[in-house]
Amino acid sequence: MPWPEQVIASWAHLNRIAAELAKVGKGLPAYLCRGQSDATWDLRPALLRLFPTGITRLEALAVEKRAVEGFMAQAHLHLPSAWLPPPMPPAGLGEWWALMQHYSAPTRLLDWTYSLFASAYFAVTSHWDRDAAIYIVQGRRLGDAMNNRYGTQVTFRNEEF
């Protein structure tokens, strides 16, 4: 099923959408948002957008492994040690992916936020010559889908994930 689309035509319109989203649920926000500066991009991580068509899963994993190992080998030269994942117990890939993502390295992660306004910022901060996109998903339904697909023990150490 394709994503239902809505064109946000003004700042006031964005504020009305934010007000509607804020009414749903109690506690943590019920929605996760992602802004992309190009509406033609698929909802795919930057790393996958870099791969040529036809690359196999094993080839992609090998490229990712080399990128992570290279980042891990060089990070201590450029970042304060307090910012690096702790050596003991050894950090999982998820911690390294998050650090790489923070420094704009392409990873398999997609950035999501609870803030519609933060996602709007990332949607319009570059590529002024194109339409942007903001994706909004229900966190609970996403969690249910992840549990159905991967089980309740989804972690960054889960190879299938």
Side-chain angles (χ1 to χ4, degrees):
M1 178 176 112
W3 293 86
E5 291 187 18
Q6 187 176 141
V7 174
I8 300 172
S10 67
W11 182 252
H13 187 194
L14 183 69
N15 277 307
R16 285 193 301 274
I17 293 170
E20 288 300 313
L21 295 178
K23 291 178 186 176
V24 178
K26 301 214 185 275
L28 284 176
Y31 293 94
L32 298 168
C33 305
R34 173 175 173 73
Q36 291 189 167
S37 60
D38 190 330
T40 64
W41 289 346
D42 291 333
L43 194 57
R44 297 179 65 177
L47 182 65
L48 294 182
R49 288 196 301 263
L50 294 174
F51 290 147
T53 303
I55 189 170
T56 68
R57 180 178 181 267
L58 290 177
E59 291 169 333
L61 288 171
V63 169
E64 179 189 53
K65 182 179 180 186
R66 285 193 305 273
V68 171
E69 288 172 349
F71 188 91
M72 291 169 70
Q74 298 289 316
H76 72 282
L77 300 173
H78 304 284
L79 302 174
S81 60
W83 295 2
L84 300 175
M88 294 306 287
L93 280 175
E95 293 171 272
W96 282 103
W97 290 337
L99 187 62
M100 292 172 69
Q101 182 92 351
H102 181 74
Y103 287 99
S104 301
T107 70
R108 67 169 71 185
L109 301 180
L110 281 174
D111 289 321
W112 292 86
T113 178
Y114 292 127
S115 171
L116 178 61
F117 298 108
S119 65
Y121 169 81
F122 287 106
V124 301
T125 194
S126 61
H127 299 298
W128 292 72
D129 57 333
R130 322 178 188 168
D131 287 339
I134 298 174
Y135 292 90
I136 303 171
V137 298
Q138 291 178 321
R140 177 176 226 167
R141 289 183 70 187
L142 179 62
D144 290 346
M146 293 286 287
N147 286 338
N148 287 339
R149 182 167 182 156
Y150 300 107
T152 57
Q153 299 301 317
V154 173
T155 70
F156 286 117
R157 290 179 173 87
N158 179 333
E159 185 177 316
E160 179 65 23
F161 176 71

